[in-house]
Every structure is written in C-alpha cells, then in structure tokens.
Amino acid sequence: PSTKKVILYPAAVNKLKNQSVLIKGFSRIAKEFPDWELHLYGRHHKTYGPTCVNLVKAAGLQDQIKFFDFTDDLASVYRQANILAYPSLLEGFPLAMLEGMCFNLPVIAVDKLPAVHDMVLHNQTGLVAKNSPSAIAASLRKLMSDDAYRSKLGQQAHDHCITYYSRDQILNQWEALIQTMISA
C-alpha cells in the first residue's frame, strides 16, 4: 500500500474545470511535500488535456502529478484521498465536491465557482481561494502541512454535507416548497 497522501480532482480535463491552475499551484510547493501526489481523474479534452500533461512534464513532476482515466468507482478514489481540490470555473451543482465532502475530504475551491460559498465554508469545511496558482498553492500548503487542521475541516465538511444535503433534508425542502406553492 502507498504511503503517499493524495490531493484529488475528479473532473474531465478541460478548460472550464481549470486543472492548469491546480497543476501550477501544486508545482510551486511539490518539492516541500515529496510524500504528496496530485491525482487528476477524467477524460481529456483534445487540446486542453495535452496542455495540462505538458505542464506536468515541464515541471518535472510526473512522479507527483498523475492522470487517470474516468472511473465508475469514485468511492474507492475518495477513500484514498486526503484533500479534494476543485478549481472548476463553471458548475451547476458540483456533485463531485459534495461527494468528496461526504468522504470527509476538506475542499479547496476557487471563489469564481457559482454557489461555492454555500457548499464550502472557508476555514470550516475547506478553503476558498482566488483563481491563481499562488492562492491555490497557499491553500494546498495550509492543508498539506497540518494533519489535525485537515482532519478537522474534513469532518466538518462531512457534517455539513449530511446536515444540508442529505436525501431527507432535500426531500423536506422540496415538500416545503411545494406546500408553499399550493398555499399561495
């Protein structure tokens, strides 16, 4: 079994998912954290995918930044991870972010993602960063260097997920909305 710690980003490798900012941010601090890897899961866009692969090669970090194909077994992938990085710039409802939170993963998201502030509570369930390599690097460093802090945010992410996004909670919200509409 690997003793490596894992930063996970499960998303198609395309411009809107913004993997390049994560790769550049991790590249800035990778040498400080030789026991950490960045795992990128998902299909590659025909031009953006190779661009990201070339960023990794240029940084000489092929041993620490790894690309994996799409998988149907994300539960196993989440269980092996320590941090969920999610620098996507466009999502309707980032389900992968919510799934990671349910697996006790603290999240790093960019402030440009719509509704991110509802799901990721800064310094409570994860970290919300500016969309820049330096901001991503700072957020990664903060979580990677402090096991207790990372664990605390991961537990709080899980609790937030269960409290606000459980099946029963969502069904209750729908029922309340329907009742309000009927009463109007």
Side-chain angles (χ1 to χ4, degrees):
S2 176
T3 58
K4 297 284 185 179
K5 294 178 184 169
V6 174
I7 302 155
L8 169 66
Y9 187 19
V13 181
N14 68 56
K15 193 171 184 173
L16 288 175
K17 299 300 184 179
N18 202 24
Q19 282 88 352
S20 64
V21 76
L22 179 58
I23 292 167
K24 291 173 184 175
F26 181 76
S27 295
R28 290 178 178 211
I29 62 169
K31 300 288 188 249
E32 298 172 44
F33 299 95
D35 57 334
W36 281 84
E37 293 180 350
L38 172 58
H39 290 187
L40 302 163
Y41 278 82
R43 293 184 180 97
H44 287 221
H45 178 270
K46 63 183 176 180
T47 57
Y48 186 76
T51 297
C52 289
V53 170
N54 288 334
L55 284 173
V56 173
K57 287 179 183 174
L61 291 173
Q62 299 92 318
D63 290 339
Q64 281 185 274
I65 303 176
K66 299 180 180 182
F67 293 91
F68 298 90
D69 289 330
F70 173 83
T71 179
D72 286 328
D73 187 15
L74 273 177
S76 293
V77 173
Y78 289 126
R79 280 188 204 98
Q80 294 172 12
N82 303 89
I83 296 170
L84 180 71
Y86 212 86
S88 180
L89 298 173
L90 183 65
E91 299 285 335
F93 183 83
L95 187 57
M97 185 185 300
L98 193 61
E99 290 170 346
M101 292 171 70
C102 286
F103 280 89
N104 292 44
L105 296 178
V107 177
I108 296 174
V110 295
D111 60 356
K112 299 268 186 216
L113 180 62
V116 72
H117 299 284
D118 292 330
M119 293 179 81
V120 182
L121 307 176
H122 188 67
N123 279 322
Q124 294 177 43
T125 62
L127 300 173
V128 179
K130 297 285 183 201
N131 183 35
S132 74
S134 60
I136 295 293
S139 293
L140 286 170
R141 181 182 284 119
K142 189 171 184 177
L143 289 178
M144 293 163 68
S145 63
D146 190 336
D147 293 343
Y149 180 66
R150 186 176 63 251
S151 179
K152 176 184 169 188
L153 266 57
Q155 182 61 53
Q156 290 173 178
H158 175 267
D159 295 347
H160 181 75
C161 180
I162 297 304
T163 301
Y164 294 99
Y165 299 101
S166 70
R167 179 180 183 272
D168 290 341
Q169 183 66 23
I170 297 300
L171 289 175
N172 289 339
Q173 289 175 16
W174 273 110
E175 186 167 332
L177 176 64
I178 291 168
Q179 290 302 322
T180 300
M181 300 296 286
I182 291 171
S183 300

